[in-house]
Amino acid sequence: MRTPSIVLLGASFASYLADAQLFSNQLTNISEVAYYGFSPPVYPTPQGSGGTDPKWQNAYARAIALVSQMTLEEKVNMTSGHVGTCVGNSFNISRLGIEPLCFADAPNGIRGQEFVSAFPSQILVGATFDRHLMQRYGEALGQEYYDRGINVALLPVAGPLGRMARGGRNWEGFGADPYLSGAGMRAVTHGLQSQGVMAQAKHFLLNEQEFRRNPGKYGEAVSSNADDRTIHELYVFPFMDSLHAGAASVMCSYQRVNNSYACQNSALLNGILKTELGFQGFVTSDWGAQLTGLASANAGLDLAMPDSIYWGNNLTESVRNGSVALSRLDDMVTRILSSWFRLEQDKSFPSPSIYAYNVSHDIVDVRGNHAALIREVGAAGHVLVKNSNNTLPLKKPKFLSIYGYDAKLPDAPWTTSTRFGGGFDVNFGWETFNGTLITGGGSGSNTPPYVISPFQAIQDRVLKDGGILRWDFVGVNPTAYANSDACLVFINAYASEQFDRTSLTDDFSDRLVRNVATNCSNTIVVIHSAGIRVVDNWIEHPNVTAVIYGLLPGQESGHALVDVLYGDVSPSGRLPFTIAKKEDDYGLLLNSTIDYGPFPQDNFTEGLYIDYRHFDKYNTTPRYEFGYGLSYSTFAYSDLVVESLNGNVAQYPPQDNPVPQGGPAALWDTLYNITVKITNTGKVDAAEVPQLYISVPTAPKWQLRGFDKTHIPCNGTTTVIFPVTRRDLSIWDVTAQKWKLSAGTYPFFVGASSRDVRLEGFIHI
């Protein structure tokens, strides 16, 4: 590779070469790289064109015409965001009618503002296993972002996917499976952008731990090292859904990927995102994730956030001397403006209404009737994992005892940035024991207008039924009351951006549950958790009769819980991750990399085998498997039918020119329909979540490839159809660099979880 004449944009020449050339003997054919740690160079950046979508094509035509009227300095200004009214802002060009773009968090509601809603976190939305609710969730978020004048919402999240059981930000994603995560990414992207707000899918890519995600005093950031197939089939997979749904923007992540920083990683941005997946939108750096100027420009970064020290005048000079091609700069600006036109934000988009708490301002209330949806989604995402002797639903109990710090409102939450301003707080004790948990910490947290605590909602219901309550929010060995119909114990498990969890349990909570259960024969445990929470220190206690994972339900937490506790809603949530019997069962997937060397490495040697795939591979019995969840009813599965649609089953999909956004068009073709009938054999109307798992040759034994939440009246029967696409049956061929469909037999089962097999069949290709 010829090294061009360059201007160093805040980084050393060696840093540029590390990405452009790697080493002098680096293989240039990506398919030949069969080892971890090297990211092959892919240059130049493909220029956006509008692809195959007429709306994108029209937006590009308008953007190209506008860019032709801009000066070099104006173009450069468009590539660097800045701090201002919003968490990120682009520059305006008044003479051409270009307005600044407002970027804002968070994935579950606008952060740090008043009169906005605190929605459930994405991990709970994933637990609903309900595409319809996922889209309504995205639409409601879009309405609030639009009404506040926010052009770009920093969501949805598929990175982290959830590789590390203790990952600090796992709760921001939909769950530890690429198909489930992809369904959430698609639905939320579509819902959000249907309201005129740009989705920014994040964090691209392999952002699976918080430890050493950034360079610092110990050296460089951690390098997430994964093979080509794993990158595609696990970590790119859910982003494909977001892109196919039309995502206008993608955020690149902090850490290195195969030893090249993600925001200057040409293999990821130029190669996978903009070539293989035909991405037409723009790539934004995570805040402060741009670490070089020349390398990031040529690798495919389009917009640096915020206040870039590497571009500006340096980028202007680099274009003038040819280090960065003028066509590359034009493409950066064209991608940003075409996204603006694609979402029609040039047409009377509201001005930003973003205010500081300590500044008097007009009230802009954007909540609408979203509280009802928040309650509905919250209830749908509660996962009942134990219900001995039909303890639940409660039947108008006269005397309830409530224990645990998580039952009440947090004390003075506004005095710390973590609750609810979105800052970081490593004081685990304060976070864990200071009240009910409705969201995690960091930039992904939201800002509730109020919080309905579990205690408040239960108290209202008990008073309505003429009963009484006793409670203790602080004691680890509280008083037992002989007349209690049930004892409810509330515990939680906090997680946040900027650090990973140190344990999947805690001694105080475990002792509290055991002590209550020792003295109360009907103990019900509710867990609000930001991810996996191991429960084997008490789950088999005979007096622990029911357990609910409430996850992170947002502002209507208490109401959503009571709806399930009292049977107003039959529980239908399913675990979006696997609960092990002991932490060590996660093996290499438990801990983040702890490495204080100058170049820390995290080798994804498990390949495709994360979460339930890991447990299947090693024949390890989990406590509760992925996809598991109980109901107040029972269901029978019958009448399995496999229908071939006679689609194209050639080994590789036809070549597209240009490639549609999201990948080759044939990948999305439905090749088969698998049909089953589900009958509600219980005594109450309820929803069931049948799940399809397929065994693909040379892949993990079982992979989720379909689900459908279906509401069925008592004694009713419904038909569920699982469309199976080419992508669902394909693997990534690292030699051909294409998605490959193999001839042969594909066993599958339809069941109630990843290990609850109800019906079995085969697809023959």
Side-chain angles (χ1 to χ4, degrees):
M1 175 181 289
R2 183 181 67 86
T3 303
S5 172
I6 67 168
V7 168
L8 299 183
L9 309 188
S12 68
F13 182 46
S15 177
Y16 170 71
L17 286 182
D19 187 52
Q21 278 187 287
L22 301 176
F23 300 100
S24 60
N25 64 344
Q26 171 63 55
L27 298 171
T28 59
N29 185 344
I30 189 171
S31 65
E32 297 180 52
V33 182
Y35 42 83
Y36 300 103
F38 295 132
S39 188
V42 180
Y43 296 100
T45 302
Q47 288 192 324
S49 64
T52 61
D53 183 343
K55 291 185 178 179
W56 270 116
Q57 293 168 354
N58 178 65
Y60 261 85
R62 297 180 65 191
I64 290 170
L66 199 56
V67 171
S68 69
Q69 303 175 53
M70 296 170 64
T71 66
L72 176 60
E73 288 74 16
E74 287 173 335
K75 294 173 185 178
V76 168
N77 282 344
M78 287 289 295
T79 67
S80 297
H82 62 92
V83 175
T85 302
C86 306
V87 69
N89 308 266
S90 69
F91 284 93
N92 67 309
I93 303 176
S94 299
R95 74 178 186 87
L96 297 177
I98 299 174
E99 299 293 331
L101 299 180
C102 170
F103 297 69
D105 298 302
N108 54 6
I110 301 170
R111 178 167 60 96
Q113 294 297 295
E114 299 167 349
F115 296 95
V116 299
S117 300
F119 292 82
S121 296
Q122 280 191 184
I123 196 65
L124 182 142
V125 178
T128 68
F129 275 67
D130 189 327
R131 288 181 173 87
H132 180 61
L133 280 182
M134 291 172 179
Q135 178 152 329
R136 290 173 57 201
Y137 172 87
E139 289 170 354
L141 282 166
Q143 290 165 8
E144 296 204 8
Y145 274 87
Y146 180 90
D147 289 344
R148 277 299 183 95
I150 297 167
N151 302 84
V152 185
L154 307 185
L155 66 116
V157 178
L161 180 63
R163 171 185 182 251
M164 307 305 305
R166 291 178 176 174
R169 300 186 77 174
N170 290 352
W171 59 276
E172 293 186 41
F174 294 98
D177 176 82
Y179 185 90
L180 173 63
S181 183
M185 293 288 283
R186 173 182 294 276
V188 172
T189 297
H190 190 273
L192 187 75
Q193 295 199 163
S194 72
Q195 305 305 306
V197 175
M198 296 186 211
Q200 185 159 104
K202 65 181 189 182
H203 305 85
F204 198 82
L205 197 65
L206 274 65
N207 178 35
E208 296 294 320
Q209 70 175 54
E210 291 300 285
F211 180 78
R212 289 196 68 171
R213 66 178 187 175
N214 280 316
K217 64 179 180 180
Y218 297 111
E220 301 296 329
V222 68
S223 179
S224 298
N225 301 326
D227 65 89
D228 190 32
R229 184 175 171 190
T230 296
I231 287 173
H232 282 81
E233 292 183 33
L234 269 187
Y235 300 102
V236 170
F237 194 100
F239 283 93
M240 294 171 71
D241 287 272
S242 183
L243 297 182
H244 195 242
S249 184
V250 168
M251 179 190 292
C252 53
S253 56
Y254 283 117
Q255 87 299 336
R256 294 179 294 156
V257 175
N258 290 326
N259 285 292
S260 174
Y261 277 100
C263 289
Q264 63 188 57
N265 190 307
S266 63
L268 293 186
L269 303 184
N270 289 344
I272 295 176
L273 185 60
K274 293 183 176 180
T275 300
E276 292 175 15
L277 302 182
F279 180 53
Q280 300 300 316
F282 63 96
V283 177
T284 304
S285 71
D286 203 342
W287 269 232
Q290 185 198 33
L291 299 173
T292 59
L294 183 60
S296 60
N298 287 329
L301 181 65
D302 301 306
L303 178 61
M305 281 289 180
D307 301 310
S308 173
I309 63 173
Y310 302 110
W311 284 355
N313 291 334
N314 290 328
L315 181 56
T316 303
E317 185 58 29
S318 292
V319 172
R320 285 174 173 157
N321 72 17
S323 301
V324 175
L326 178 60
S327 59
R328 170 79 270 260
L329 176 61
D330 285 349
D331 183 57
M332 296 181 197
V333 182
T334 300
R335 286 175 174 272
I336 296 168
L337 291 176
S338 64
S339 299
W340 185 53
F341 287 130
R342 172 66 179 82
L343 272 293
E344 299 183 346
Q345 292 185 351
D346 59 309
K347 300 178 180 178
S348 64
F349 197 86
S351 298
S353 299
I354 304 295
Y355 306 104
Y357 282 127
N358 58 353
V359 176
S360 178
H361 55 80
D362 294 334
I363 292 175
V364 182
D365 191 339
V366 298
R367 294 172 294 168
N369 190 35
H370 295 155
L373 175 64
I374 291 168
R375 181 172 180 168
E376 181 182 357
V377 174
H382 278 63
V383 186
L384 178 66
V385 297
K386 183 175 182 179
N387 193 24
S388 302
N389 305 316
N390 295 317
T391 293
L392 296 177
L394 297 174
K395 303 169 183 66
K396 292 189 176 181
K398 285 291 186 179
F399 194 141
L400 290 180
S401 295
I402 297 180
Y403 304 104
Y405 49 87
D406 184 72
K408 68 179 182 69
L409 286 175
D411 300 325
W414 311 106
T415 61
T416 178
S417 59
T418 52
R419 295 220 182 162
F420 290 101
F424 312 110
D425 191 337
V426 296
N427 185 346
F428 296 104
W430 186 93
E431 278 295 343
T432 300
F433 301 119
N434 195 47
T436 197
L437 196 65
I438 68 163
T439 183
S443 64
S445 66
N446 55 26
T447 309
Y450 61 83
V451 175
I452 303 297
S453 70
F455 179 78
Q456 177 184 339
I458 293 170
Q459 178 173 257
D460 289 346
R461 189 63 173 257
V462 169
L463 292 178
K464 179 181 177 182
D465 294 339
I468 70 167
L469 287 173
R470 292 292 181 266
W471 60 89
D472 184 339
F473 299 139
V474 296
V476 71
N477 192 16
T479 301
Y481 296 92
N483 286 333
S484 289
D485 294 301
C487 301
L488 283 80
V489 184
F490 289 85
I491 60 177
N492 64 37
Y494 175 72
S496 174
E497 181 179 5
Q498 210 171 60
F499 54 87
D500 295 307
R501 298 166 67 188
T502 58
S503 175
L504 301 181
T505 182
D506 73 79
D507 180 64
F508 181 94
S509 299
D510 288 342
R511 284 189 292 130
L512 172 62
V513 173
R514 289 195 301 267
N515 290 341
V516 172
T518 297
N519 297 295
C520 182
S521 61
N522 189 21
T523 299
I524 300 166
V525 182
V526 178
I527 307 167
H528 288 119
S529 65
I532 296 167
R533 210 298 188 175
V534 174
V535 295
D536 264 58
N537 283 329
W538 44 262
I539 193 66
E540 293 185 346
H541 194 293
N543 290 344
V544 175
T545 56
V547 178
I548 294 175
Y549 279 85
L551 301 172
L552 301 173
Q555 68 192 43
E556 287 285 318
S557 175
H559 285 155
L561 173 65
V562 165
D563 287 343
V564 172
L565 285 176
Y566 279 79
D568 299 334
V569 175
S570 177
S572 60
R574 299 293 184 264
L575 287 174
F577 42 65
T578 297
I579 305 293
K581 290 186 175 181
K582 58 182 186 295
E583 293 196 43
D584 289 346
D585 287 344
Y586 294 101
L588 296 174
L589 304 176
L590 177 64
N591 292 305
S592 58
T593 298
I594 306 297
D595 186 338
Y596 292 95
F599 301 100
Q601 307 292 307
D602 186 9
N603 295 326
F604 288 29
T605 53
E606 75 286 344
L608 299 170
Y609 295 90
I610 68 169
D611 201 74
Y612 68 89
R613 303 159 178 230
H614 164 85
F615 283 78
D616 290 347
K617 178 180 180 179
Y618 293 102
N619 197 27
T620 303
T621 301
R623 169 56 60 187
Y624 298 116
E625 68 270 19
F626 175 90
Y628 176 79
L630 300 175
S631 170
Y632 294 151
S633 192
T634 56
F635 301 90
Y637 291 54
S638 64
D639 297 342
L640 175 68
V641 176
V642 179
E643 176 191 11
S644 172
L645 301 184
N646 299 315
N648 182 345
V649 292
Q651 189 174 42
Y652 299 108
Q655 286 292 110
D656 294 297
N657 188 20
V659 177
Q661 181 160 300
L667 288 180
W668 308 96
D669 290 344
T670 299
L671 301 182
Y672 299 89
N673 281 330
I674 296 175
T675 303
V676 298
K677 290 185 177 179
I678 313 291
T679 300
N680 184 340
T681 57
K683 298 180 180 179
V684 298
D685 299 345
E688 175 65 335
V689 186
Q691 301 158 43
L692 172 67
Y693 293 85
I694 298 180
S695 181
V696 177
T698 72
K701 182 177 181 180
W702 298 117
Q703 299 183 92
L704 181 69
R705 286 298 184 261
F707 63 85
D708 185 16
K709 177 168 286 188
T710 178
H711 297 262
I712 311 173
C714 181
N715 298 320
T717 298
T718 190
T719 299
V720 172
I721 301 175
F722 299 105
V724 180
T725 68
R726 170 186 276 269
R727 186 181 67 143
D728 294 333
L729 301 174
S730 298
I731 66 167
W732 179 253
D733 186 327
V734 299
T735 301
Q737 288 292 288
K738 296 178 182 179
W739 290 93
K740 177 181 177 181
L741 184 65
S742 300
T745 299
Y746 293 66
F748 69 82
F749 75 81
V750 177
S753 76
S754 62
R755 292 201 168 194
D756 186 350
V757 180
R758 302 296 179 91
L759 299 171
E760 298 178 84
F762 299 90
I763 291 174
H764 298 283
I765 298 178

